[in-house]
Amino acid sequence: MEKKLLREKGKLLLKAMDQHEKQFIESRLYEELFQSKQWEEAETVALTVSFSHEWDTYTIIEEAWSCGKQTVVPKCDPITKKMTFYKLKDFIQLETVYYGLKEPSPELTVPVSKDDIQLVIVPGLIYDRKGFRIGYGGGFYDRYLKDFNGVSLSILAKKQLVDEVPTESYDVPVHYLITENGLIDIHSSLNEG
């Protein structure tokens, strides 16, 4: 029940933000992300294609292309609850699926192995400083990250941070959080705490 309430709070937070505030925070998030070692070292970056109320990932995808990085975006199977990432070279390779979600068209793209991805930018609504998050409730990323050997991070406004997110045994925390105030290394902050 608490997860459901936090999920709703997260959705409202994002939707209530005016365009000016959203753009200001986004520009800080991009700055922090693009200057991070995690971004610098990744040859292949995995991320979702954002909805308008979410942090804009189109800008991140374009920056990755301009830096010569490979970007991969997920196709979700609602029945098996599994994600497969596909190489995205152009936005015309996307198709609109359920709920208006943009996903790669399998006819126009090539799947990429989990082992070939160095960085996954994980979406979410609410986070805590241990790297746990509340997403949209599908559990796709927790399943994917369970045996992922690369780096995972999330970008968020500091107002999306709470003291604690209720967790289940299958929840997988991200390694880093990036807010408009900078990067939070989960491992370091846990050791400090």
Side-chain angles (χ1 to χ4, degrees), residues 113-137:
S113 158
K114 193 181 280 196
D115 296 333
D116 294 330
I117 298 169
Q118 292 81 43
L119 175 64
V120 175
I121 299 175
V122 183
L125 295 163
I126 295 288
Y127 303 81
D128 68 19
R129 290 181 181 276
K130 293 181 193 150
F132 287 105
R133 50 180 261 291
I134 291 179
Y136 289 90

Short mmCIF file of all heavy atoms in Angstrom, two decimals, residues 113-137:
data_model
loop_
_atom_site.label_atom_id
_atom_site.label_comp_id
_atom_site.label_asym_id
_atom_site.label_seq_id
_atom_site.Cartn_x
_atom_site.Cartn_y
_atom_site.Cartn_z
N SER A 113 23.07 -7.84 -26.47
CA SER A 113 23.25 -8.67 -25.28
C SER A 113 23.51 -7.80 -24.05
O SER A 113 24.16 -6.76 -24.13
CB SER A 113 24.44 -9.61 -25.51
OG SER A 113 24.96 -10.05 -24.30
N LYS A 114 23.03 -8.27 -22.92
CA LYS A 114 23.24 -7.60 -21.63
C LYS A 114 24.73 -7.40 -21.35
O LYS A 114 25.14 -6.40 -20.76
CB LYS A 114 22.60 -8.48 -20.55
CG LYS A 114 22.44 -7.84 -19.22
CD LYS A 114 21.83 -8.80 -18.21
CE LYS A 114 20.34 -8.90 -18.35
NZ LYS A 114 19.68 -9.51 -17.18
N ASP A 115 25.55 -8.37 -21.76
CA ASP A 115 26.99 -8.30 -21.52
C ASP A 115 27.68 -7.19 -22.32
O ASP A 115 28.81 -6.83 -22.00
CB ASP A 115 27.66 -9.64 -21.87
CG ASP A 115 27.17 -10.76 -20.97
OD1 ASP A 115 26.76 -10.46 -19.83
OD2 ASP A 115 27.18 -11.92 -21.41
N ASP A 116 27.00 -6.67 -23.34
CA ASP A 116 27.59 -5.62 -24.18
C ASP A 116 27.18 -4.21 -23.74
O ASP A 116 27.48 -3.23 -24.41
CB ASP A 116 27.21 -5.84 -25.65
CG ASP A 116 27.83 -7.10 -26.21
OD1 ASP A 116 28.93 -7.48 -25.76
OD2 ASP A 116 27.21 -7.73 -27.10
N ILE A 117 26.46 -4.13 -22.63
CA ILE A 117 25.98 -2.83 -22.12
C ILE A 117 26.80 -2.47 -20.88
O ILE A 117 26.91 -3.27 -19.95
CB ILE A 117 24.47 -2.90 -21.78
CG1 ILE A 117 23.66 -3.23 -23.05
CG2 ILE A 117 24.00 -1.60 -21.14
CD1 ILE A 117 22.21 -3.57 -22.77
N GLN A 118 27.38 -1.27 -20.87
CA GLN A 118 28.18 -0.85 -19.71
C GLN A 118 27.38 0.00 -18.71
O GLN A 118 27.69 0.03 -17.53
CB GLN A 118 29.41 -0.03 -20.15
CG GLN A 118 30.45 -0.83 -20.90
CD GLN A 118 30.10 -1.03 -22.36
OE1 GLN A 118 29.66 -0.12 -23.03
NE2 GLN A 118 30.29 -2.25 -22.85
N LEU A 119 26.36 0.72 -19.21
CA LEU A 119 25.63 1.64 -18.35
C LEU A 119 24.14 1.55 -18.64
O LEU A 119 23.73 1.64 -19.79
CB LEU A 119 26.11 3.08 -18.59
CG LEU A 119 25.36 4.21 -17.87
CD1 LEU A 119 25.50 4.11 -16.36
CD2 LEU A 119 25.84 5.58 -18.34
N VAL A 120 23.34 1.35 -17.58
CA VAL A 120 21.89 1.40 -17.70
C VAL A 120 21.39 2.59 -16.88
O VAL A 120 21.71 2.71 -15.70
CB VAL A 120 21.21 0.11 -17.17
CG1 VAL A 120 19.70 0.25 -17.19
CG2 VAL A 120 21.61 -1.10 -18.00
N ILE A 121 20.66 3.48 -17.55
CA ILE A 121 20.03 4.61 -16.85
C ILE A 121 18.60 4.16 -16.53
O ILE A 121 17.78 3.96 -17.42
CB ILE A 121 20.06 5.89 -17.71
CG1 ILE A 121 21.52 6.27 -18.00
CG2 ILE A 121 19.31 7.03 -17.00
CD1 ILE A 121 21.70 7.44 -18.95
N VAL A 122 18.35 3.97 -15.23
CA VAL A 122 17.12 3.32 -14.77
C VAL A 122 16.07 4.36 -14.43
O VAL A 122 16.32 5.25 -13.61
CB VAL A 122 17.43 2.44 -13.53
CG1 VAL A 122 16.18 1.69 -13.07
CG2 VAL A 122 18.55 1.45 -13.84
N PRO A 123 14.88 4.26 -15.02
CA PRO A 123 13.82 5.24 -14.71
C PRO A 123 13.17 4.93 -13.36
O PRO A 123 13.27 3.82 -12.84
CB PRO A 123 12.81 5.03 -15.84
CG PRO A 123 12.95 3.58 -16.20
CD PRO A 123 14.41 3.26 -15.99
N GLY A 124 12.50 5.92 -12.81
CA GLY A 124 11.80 5.71 -11.55
C GLY A 124 11.05 6.97 -11.14
O GLY A 124 11.15 8.01 -11.79
N LEU A 125 10.31 6.85 -10.06
CA LEU A 125 9.49 7.97 -9.58
C LEU A 125 9.96 8.50 -8.23
O LEU A 125 9.99 9.70 -8.01
CB LEU A 125 8.03 7.50 -9.46
CG LEU A 125 7.36 7.12 -10.79
CD1 LEU A 125 6.10 6.30 -10.54
CD2 LEU A 125 7.03 8.37 -11.59
N ILE A 126 10.32 7.59 -7.34
CA ILE A 126 10.77 7.94 -5.98
C ILE A 126 11.98 7.08 -5.65
O ILE A 126 12.02 5.90 -6.01
CB ILE A 126 9.64 7.68 -4.95
CG1 ILE A 126 8.44 8.60 -5.19
CG2 ILE A 126 10.14 7.83 -3.51
CD1 ILE A 126 8.62 10.06 -4.84
N TYR A 127 12.95 7.65 -4.94
CA TYR A 127 14.20 6.95 -4.62
C TYR A 127 14.58 7.18 -3.16
O TYR A 127 14.17 8.18 -2.57
CB TYR A 127 15.36 7.50 -5.48
CG TYR A 127 15.11 7.41 -6.96
CD1 TYR A 127 14.34 8.36 -7.61
CD2 TYR A 127 15.67 6.38 -7.71
CE1 TYR A 127 14.11 8.28 -8.98
CE2 TYR A 127 15.46 6.29 -9.07
CZ TYR A 127 14.68 7.24 -9.70
OH TYR A 127 14.45 7.16 -11.05
N ASP A 128 15.43 6.27 -2.64
CA ASP A 128 16.07 6.56 -1.36
C ASP A 128 17.58 6.52 -1.55
O ASP A 128 18.07 6.15 -2.62
CB ASP A 128 15.57 5.64 -0.23
CG ASP A 128 15.98 4.18 -0.38
OD1 ASP A 128 16.95 3.89 -1.13
OD2 ASP A 128 15.34 3.32 0.25
N ARG A 129 18.32 6.90 -0.51
CA ARG A 129 19.79 7.01 -0.64
C ARG A 129 20.50 5.66 -0.64
O ARG A 129 21.71 5.60 -0.76
CB ARG A 129 20.34 7.91 0.48
CG ARG A 129 19.95 9.35 0.25
CD ARG A 129 20.49 10.27 1.31
NE ARG A 129 20.06 11.63 1.05
CZ ARG A 129 20.68 12.46 0.23
NH1 ARG A 129 21.74 12.08 -0.42
NH2 ARG A 129 20.22 13.69 0.05
N LYS A 130 19.74 4.58 -0.53
CA LYS A 130 20.34 3.25 -0.66
C LYS A 130 20.25 2.78 -2.11
O LYS A 130 20.66 1.67 -2.43
CB LYS A 130 19.63 2.25 0.25
CG LYS A 130 19.82 2.52 1.73
CD LYS A 130 19.09 1.46 2.53
CE LYS A 130 19.00 1.90 3.99
NZ LYS A 130 17.80 1.35 4.62
N GLY A 131 19.66 3.61 -2.98
CA GLY A 131 19.56 3.25 -4.39
C GLY A 131 18.29 2.50 -4.75
O GLY A 131 18.10 2.10 -5.90
N PHE A 132 17.41 2.29 -3.77
CA PHE A 132 16.15 1.63 -4.07
C PHE A 132 15.18 2.65 -4.67
O PHE A 132 15.26 3.84 -4.37
CB PHE A 132 15.55 0.98 -2.82
CG PHE A 132 16.29 -0.25 -2.40
CD1 PHE A 132 17.13 -0.23 -1.29
CD2 PHE A 132 16.17 -1.44 -3.11
CE1 PHE A 132 17.83 -1.36 -0.91
CE2 PHE A 132 16.86 -2.58 -2.73
CZ PHE A 132 17.70 -2.54 -1.64
N ARG A 133 14.28 2.16 -5.50
CA ARG A 133 13.40 3.06 -6.23
C ARG A 133 12.01 2.49 -6.35
O ARG A 133 11.81 1.28 -6.22
CB ARG A 133 13.97 3.33 -7.63
CG ARG A 133 14.32 2.08 -8.36
CD ARG A 133 14.88 2.31 -9.74
NE ARG A 133 13.87 2.12 -10.76
CZ ARG A 133 13.33 0.96 -11.08
NH1 ARG A 133 13.68 -0.14 -10.47
NH2 ARG A 133 12.41 0.89 -12.01
N ILE A 134 11.09 3.38 -6.60
CA ILE A 134 9.74 2.96 -6.96
C ILE A 134 9.55 3.40 -8.40
O ILE A 134 9.67 4.59 -8.73
CB ILE A 134 8.69 3.59 -6.03
CG1 ILE A 134 8.84 2.95 -4.64
CG2 ILE A 134 7.28 3.38 -6.58
CD1 ILE A 134 7.91 3.47 -3.61
N GLY A 135 9.30 2.43 -9.24
CA GLY A 135 9.05 2.72 -10.65
C GLY A 135 7.55 2.68 -10.91
O GLY A 135 6.75 2.97 -10.02
N TYR A 136 7.22 2.24 -12.10
CA TYR A 136 5.80 2.22 -12.47
C TYR A 136 5.11 0.91 -12.08
O TYR A 136 3.94 0.73 -12.36
CB TYR A 136 5.66 2.49 -13.97
CG TYR A 136 5.98 3.93 -14.30
CD1 TYR A 136 7.27 4.33 -14.60
CD2 TYR A 136 4.99 4.91 -14.26
CE1 TYR A 136 7.57 5.66 -14.88
CE2 TYR A 136 5.27 6.23 -14.53
CZ TYR A 136 6.57 6.60 -14.84
OH TYR A 136 6.85 7.91 -15.11
N GLY A 137 5.85 -0.01 -11.47
CA GLY A 137 5.20 -1.19 -10.92
C GLY A 137 5.29 -2.45 -11.77
O GLY A 137 4.77 -3.48 -11.38
#
